[in-house]
Amino acid sequence: PLTTIDGTINYVALYDCLINCMQQPTDFLENVVHQYCTQVIEQWPQVIEVSISVQKLHPPITLFNGGSVGVSFTLQNKKNV
């Protein structure tokens, strides 16, 4: 159990990390989620696993009316497994 704030992750910093990854030009959402998970583990080595799902609300797919497409990714911190 957590007993101090030092054992937690700063959610503002976590969000800033995500914004930074989203601002990097890339052709694939897979690159964004992989970069994000990698940066989280590098910045917070106490993290055991990172999971993220990203949805593209209006994908540029001809004749696609399904609403959204997305990708999910999980990365384990090999040092903490």
Side-chain angles (χ1 to χ4, degrees), residues 3 7 19 22 24-25 32 42 45-46 48 53 63 66-67 71 73 76:
T3 56
I19 294 300
M22 293 296 292
Q24 304 303 315
V32 173
E42 287 174 356
Q46 72 271 28
I48 296 169
S53 295
L63 302 176
V71 62
F73 185 73
Q76 289 185 339

Side-chain angles (χ1 to χ4, degrees), residues 1-11 44 46-47:
L2 291 172
T3 56
T4 67
I5 193 90
D6 295 334
T8 66
I9 294 177
N10 180 330
Y11 288 105
W44 294 281
Q46 72 271 28
V47 168

Side-chain angles (χ1 to χ4, degrees), residues 1-46:
L2 291 172
T3 56
T4 67
I5 193 90
D6 295 334
T8 66
I9 294 177
N10 180 330
Y11 288 105
V12 174
L14 201 59
Y15 179 75
D16 289 343
C17 181
L18 178 60
I19 294 300
N20 180 52
C21 290
M22 293 296 292
Q23 290 176 343
Q24 304 303 315
T26 183
D27 291 331
F28 303 104
L29 285 175
E30 289 84 353
N31 293 338
V32 173
V33 297
H34 185 269
Q35 178 187 10
Y36 176 70
C37 291
T38 300
Q39 285 186 10
V40 168
I41 287 173
E42 287 174 356
Q43 190 164 351
W44 294 281
Q46 72 271 28

Side-chain angles (χ1 to χ4, degrees), residues 51-79:
S51 295
I52 184 171
S53 295
V54 177
Q55 297 290 317
K56 185 176 277 193
L57 299 179
H58 305 288
I61 302 172
T62 305
L63 302 176
F64 179 77
N65 295 320
S68 68
V69 296
V71 62
S72 296
F73 185 73
T74 298
L75 183 65
Q76 289 185 339
N77 185 347
K78 299 295 183 190
K79 296 176 185 175

